[in-house]
């Protein structure tokens, strides 16, 4: 197992790939896998995919178009975390099935 404290001393930026004004961080390479992030990702996928029936029935979209919109939304929703922003906005959305 990798000792992450030797990679990033306290108070310094973590490892990243410079990308213009951004710092690209890739999971598994620049930060370690955590079960809590994985569970949150599963909940976010379930919530995002649950809008597909609404898009197809109420708006009359074909399934493929609705799926493409949902996948693009999920990708763009989390893209900023790969560019160095440690905050995922809208954290309550995946929790709605749990607290509702």
């Amino acid at each position: 197992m990798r000792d992450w404290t030797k990679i990033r001393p306290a108070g310094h930026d973590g490892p990243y790939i410079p990308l213009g004004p951004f710092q690209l961080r890739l999971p598994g390479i620049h930060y370690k896998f955590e079960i809590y992030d994985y569970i949150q990702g599963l909940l976010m996928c379930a919530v995002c995919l649950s809008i597909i029936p609404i898009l197809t029935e109420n708006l009359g979209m074909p399934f493929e178009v609705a799926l493409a919109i949902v996948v693009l939304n999920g990708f763009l929703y989390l893209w900023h975390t790969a560019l160095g922003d440690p905050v995922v906005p809208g954290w309550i959305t995946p929790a709605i099935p749990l607290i509702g």
Side-chain angles (χ1 to χ4, degrees):
M1 183 162 217
R2 207 170 192 183
D3 185 8
W4 294 96
T5 57
K6 292 182 180 179
I7 295 173
R8 182 182 61 88
H12 295 5
D13 282 342
Y16 63 90
I17 298 170
L19 190 66
F22 303 108
Q23 300 174 347
L24 179 63
R25 291 181 173 93
L26 301 173
I29 298 173
H30 297 113
Y31 55 92
K32 65 182 179 176
F33 174 84
E34 293 189 16
I35 190 69
Y36 306 108
D37 293 335
Y38 179 73
I39 293 170
Q40 181 182 7
L42 287 176
L43 287 173
M44 289 178 70
C45 286
V47 170
C48 284
L49 291 174
S50 67
I51 196 70
I52 291 177
I54 295 169
L55 292 174
T56 56
E57 292 172 12
N58 295 341
L59 298 178
M61 284 186 187
F63 175 78
E64 292 80 10
V65 173
L67 181 62
I69 288 172
V70 167
V71 169
L72 183 64
N73 175 52
F75 176 76
L76 294 176
Y77 191 70
L78 296 174
W79 180 238
H80 65 95
T81 59
L83 296 177
D85 187 5
V87 179
V88 176
W91 62 269
I92 193 66
T93 305
I96 288 173
L98 298 176
I99 62 175

